[in-house]
Amino acid sequence: NALEIMELHLNGRSFTWSNERFHPTLERIDHAFCSVDWADFLSGHKLRVISSSCSDHAPMLLHTNLEGDFKRHFRFESIWPR
């Protein structure tokens, strides 16, 4: 709470790993987090799981919608001169 981060909602499936047995064990072992400011800025984001035929692990893919009035602002970091 002090860092103001939140977990991104996983769309489509609720697991990212399976032991691939007849009665599989399904687990969500991967999670994605972001700051509240990031979620507000990219409100059209979507996190989903990609199917994988070569692994018991399903990677996640994050889509962001950057169309519209997106302007990059230069921000000088005070640590750079050090």
Side-chain angles (χ1 to χ4, degrees), residues 18-25:
S18 169
N19 65 352
E20 299 180 345
R21 305 276 171 109
F22 182 69
H23 296 290
T25 300

Side-chain angles (χ1 to χ4, degrees), residues 9-82:
H9 173 71
L10 185 60
N11 294 289
R13 293 197 305 195
S14 56
F15 63 90
T16 59
W17 179 85
S18 169
N19 65 352
E20 299 180 345
R21 305 276 171 109
F22 182 69
H23 296 290
T25 300
L26 305 173
E27 294 288 335
R28 181 163 180 202
I29 59 174
D30 297 302
H31 299 268
F33 296 90
C34 69
S35 68
V36 174
D37 291 338
W38 185 93
D40 290 341
F41 181 71
L42 294 172
S43 59
H45 67 274
K46 184 175 263 190
L47 182 66
R48 66 183 183 97
V49 175
I50 303 172
S51 295
S52 176
S53 61
C54 63
S55 174
D56 59 357
H57 188 86
M60 297 186 299
L61 180 64
L62 177 63
H63 289 276
T64 58
N65 183 6
L66 292 178
E67 295 176 10
D69 295 334
F70 176 71
K71 295 179 184 175
R72 290 197 124 171
H73 296 283
F74 177 78
R75 293 188 178 152
F76 184 82
E77 300 291 335
S78 61
I79 194 169
W80 290 350
R82 291 186 211 157

